[in-house]
Amino acid sequence: MASALRVLGIDPGLTRCGVGVVDVRRDRSASLVHVGVVRSSPEAPIEQRLATIAAGIRAVLAEHGPDVVAVERVFAQQNRSTVMGTAQASGIALLLAAEHGLPAATHTPSEVKAAITGYGNAEKLQVQTMVARVLRLDALPQPADAADALALALCHAWRRGAGPVGADAALTPAQRAWAAAEKATRR
């Protein structure tokens, strides 16, 4: 499927890390390649938990060969231990992308919800429903971490313009304007 962009979406978490791989074509149609959750035991020491998450992501990278990695951007939460675990798992995902020579991007939950449902404050069920519809799945992807990983992958492909990495000509004028605006904010 050379004309498709293969995206690995990662919903980082220390106990449950969602991983989803999709192929997205230039016409924005998509197909499911892989979905799952990497789990680590809350009783294990932190270094072992991070190693477990890393091993799971490495396995997905090796088996499915994505073109790009999209990770949920860590945002402020009330529970500091939750945000710390999420940040640590996010760092592992970004590091592994770099080690594999893959471009990586982060997207906020509201960016993902807006891309998938058209509404940045959509409920989880709305996101799961749209992911299932887009990927033509018979059932909603479960658990929510897995559905979120698929949503991240779709969001990334749609916001960057589907097609092989660097296929700038395939972008619509609106997508080119969005990319230019994002690039300007990174200066």
Side-chain angles (χ1 to χ4, degrees), residues 31-177:
S31 55
L32 175 66
V33 175
H34 171 81
V35 65
V37 176
V38 180
R39 298 177 189 275
S40 74
S41 171
E43 289 79 35
I46 186 67
E47 68 275 11
Q48 288 179 3
R49 295 181 77 186
L50 292 171
T52 298
I53 298 298
I57 294 171
R58 274 192 193 100
V60 173
L61 287 165
E63 184 174 345
H64 300 291
D67 300 310
V68 63
V69 176
V71 181
E72 183 174 276
R73 185 177 300 158
V74 178
F75 60 101
Q77 294 179 353
Q78 303 295 14
N79 186 336
R80 285 188 185 164
S81 66
T82 299
V83 79
M84 286 302 295
T86 301
Q88 291 166 329
S90 178
I92 294 292
L94 294 169
L95 171 69
L96 290 173
E99 285 182 352
H100 283 79
L102 298 173
T106 59
H107 299 283
T108 65
S110 60
E111 284 178 287
V112 174
K113 290 174 185 179
I116 301 303
T117 70
Y119 178 59
N121 289 323
E123 299 293 326
K124 285 222 180 257
L125 181 59
Q126 291 171 296
V127 174
Q128 287 175 301
T129 301
M130 285 305 296
V131 166
R133 187 173 295 161
V134 167
L135 295 174
R136 296 171 308 285
L137 304 177
D138 293 332
L140 298 181
Q142 295 290 338
D145 309 281
D148 290 348
L150 292 172
L152 274 154
L154 290 169
C155 168
H156 182 77
W158 290 347
R159 294 190 76 183
R160 299 293 185 246
V165 175
D168 221 22
L171 298 178
T172 67
Q175 289 171 324
R176 281 194 294 275

